[in-house]
Amino acid sequence: MKSSIRLILLTFLALQFIGCGDRTRVRVLKLGHSLPTSHPVHKALENMALQVRQVSQGGLRIDIYPNEQLGSEREMIEQVQLGSLQIVKTSASPLEGFIPEMALFTVPYAFQDQAHLWEALDGEIGEDLLEAGTKKGLVGLCYYDAGSRSFYTKDKPITTPADLAGLKIRVQNSRTAIEMVEAMGGSPTPIAFGELYTSLEQGVVDGAENNPPSLLTSRHYELCKFYSLDEHSSVPDVVLISEEAWSRLTQTQQAVIKKAANDSAEFQRELWIKETQRALDELTAAGVEISRPDKKPFQASVTELHKSYQGTVIEELLIRVKKLRDGSPKPKRVLPSPIP
Ligand code: GCU
């Protein structure tokens, strides 16, 4: 009798121990980003976190902090470099302050269309740029679609670059974005995304630029009723993990995360197309005047800016990008134009 009670007690303790062990073995990775939870990018990140949890059978967990809860994108990238934050989803624009090659994507009209951009991202250029961060403590995992960026303004549409004269335009924390708005004739003002609604409301800036889902989900359209689709840049989002956290994961854990990131990128790219169309419809229904200005004057306004990259790594990348379209291009994905 005594020995069977002892056996039951021992089994109970052993089970407790195993249970504790399992709990302590859960590796939690914090992921920060700037966008609201209604944004398609957030949904893709949730998809990635779910897959990581399921495949690792609870051994790995990604906790998502949206809405710049952990700081601006620039601040989050810094935290990832230091290892105090494990994962960041950021626009490639502020990344150029850490990985200079990433400036390629903010260069206005660097790509002929979305299919051209994805040829670059899915190929060697995309791979090289993801790897470029490793020596800076930032391991690139995947790209998300962020469509094209266009101007939205409070008082009048931007039909030619001349309309930007005298306007303060919010840009991301990116030298290339600043130089682009300057070249087009506007006054660039870098502001964190989370502070932009108030900045527009208080008249700190007269407008900004972004893709349709971001204009919709940020509710900036409540203040900016003119959206001019000049599609000046196609800046992807990038998911990066801290080199510090990465090197402490087992190879199996790294593979689980890499696969979940890639799968979430596939999911996000499908979702993006639908959500872009939905955003344009909803913006129109909300009274936003959407126009499609002639791109040529906008392209002409940045010719000098393009020349200024001579002799830099950006020029080399622009040449590689251009080469993708020499000969007969075979786009991997055919994206519909945002406006039917
Ligand atoms: C896009 C991008 C975000 C970024 C935002 C911005 O929406 O996906 O990561 O924060 O632009 O303009 O700051």
Side-chain angles (χ1 to χ4, degrees):
M1 181 66 180
K2 253 189 191 166
S3 62
S4 57
I5 290 177
R6 204 185 299 144
L7 187 70
I8 292 170
L9 257 174
L10 275 176
T11 317
F12 177 74
L13 281 175
L15 283 175
Q16 284 288 96
F17 180 74
I18 292 167
C20 280
D22 272 349
R23 266 201 298 280
T24 51
R25 257 188 275 130
V26 176
R27 186 77 207 277
V28 178
L29 302 165
K30 284 203 288 181
L31 183 159
H33 72 90
S34 63
L35 297 164
T37 53
S38 53
H39 197 285
V41 160
H42 181 81
K43 292 175 189 157
L45 292 168
E46 282 184 325
N47 175 291
M48 171 175 161
L50 180 68
Q51 180 168 325
V52 163
R53 200 171 181 152
Q54 283 171 345
V55 177
S56 71
Q57 297 179 325
L60 279 174
R61 202 178 83 214
I62 295 179
D63 287 349
I64 307 174
Y65 296 82
N67 276 320
E68 288 189 357
Q69 277 173 42
L70 303 180
S72 66
E73 289 192 328
R74 192 186 166 81
E75 287 161 349
M76 286 188 282
I77 301 166
E78 276 166 3
Q79 292 166 31
V80 168
Q81 251 189 339
L82 293 171
S84 55
L85 174 65
Q86 288 74 51
I87 307 178
V88 64
K89 192 296 302 165
T90 174
S91 166
S93 291
L95 256 188
E96 74 182 52
F98 302 80
I99 308 168
E101 295 91 330
M102 285 283 175
L104 167 71
F105 301 112
T106 311
V107 172
Y109 302 108
F111 301 90
Q112 285 174 23
D113 50 35
Q114 290 295 97
H116 189 194
L117 168 74
W118 282 101
E119 275 174 71
L121 290 178
D122 286 338
E124 270 179 23
I125 299 176
E127 202 50 47
D128 288 353
L129 295 196
L130 280 186
E131 269 172 34
T134 308
K135 50 184 185 296
K136 310 282 169 67
L138 302 162
V139 179
L141 289 175
C142 67
Y143 296 102
Y144 281 171
D145 202 342
S148 307
R149 299 178 74 96
S150 297
F151 293 111
Y152 52 86
T153 34
K154 285 170 79 172
D155 299 327
K156 58 169 189 186
I158 306 299
T159 48
T160 73
D163 293 323
L164 287 165
L167 293 192
K168 284 186 258 89
I169 300 293
R170 178 269 175 176
V171 289
Q172 298 194 78
N173 203 329
S174 139
R175 190 177 143 192
T176 312
I178 293 172
E179 288 174 348
M180 175 195 73
V181 170
E182 263 166 11
M184 290 181 174
S187 303
T189 311
I191 293 175
F193 192 60
E195 287 161 26
L196 182 50
Y197 191 98
T198 318
S199 302
L200 285 163
E201 202 169 33
Q202 294 176 348
V204 177
V205 285
D206 306 295
E209 42 89 58
N210 217 319
N211 54 53
S214 300
L215 173 55
L216 179 74
T217 57
S218 62
R219 298 187 295 109
H220 297 162
Y221 71 88
E222 292 172 356
L223 306 162
C224 295
K225 294 292 181 198
F226 300 97
Y227 193 21
S228 313
L229 297 178
D230 67 308
E231 300 179 330
H232 47 254
S233 60
S234 298
V235 188
D237 278 354
V238 193
V239 183
L240 304 117
I241 185 165
S242 154
E243 155 70 22
E244 201 263 339
W246 187 246
S247 59
R248 289 199 290 123
L249 295 171
T250 63
Q251 278 192 350
T252 314
Q253 288 174 325
Q254 290 181 351
V256 168
I257 291 176
K258 184 74 188 163
K259 173 145 186 4
N262 285 340
D263 289 352
S264 76
E266 279 298 306
F267 167 82
Q268 194 268 349
R269 280 161 68 173
E270 294 298 321
L271 188 63
W272 186 261
I273 299 166
K274 285 184 231 144
E275 294 280 311
T276 298
Q277 191 53 58
R278 189 175 71 84
L280 289 168
D281 293 344
E282 286 196 24
L283 290 168
T284 308
V288 176
E289 194 184 289
I290 302 178
S291 58
R292 199 174 258 285
D294 179 8
K295 287 185 192 175
K296 284 195 200 80
F298 290 92
Q299 287 163 339
S301 71
V302 295
T303 348
E304 286 304 311
L305 180 61
H306 275 244
K307 283 190 194 151
S308 73
Y309 298 121
Q310 257 170 26
T312 70
V313 65
I314 299 305
E315 186 193 28
E316 283 167 34
L317 286 166
L318 286 169
I319 292 170
R320 282 174 75 186
V321 164
K322 202 158 172 277
K323 272 202 184 129
L324 294 173
R325 280 295 168 98
D326 290 348
S328 55
K330 287 197 178 45
K332 285 194 177 163
R333 310 165 66 223
V334 180
L335 289 179
S337 165
I339 284 193

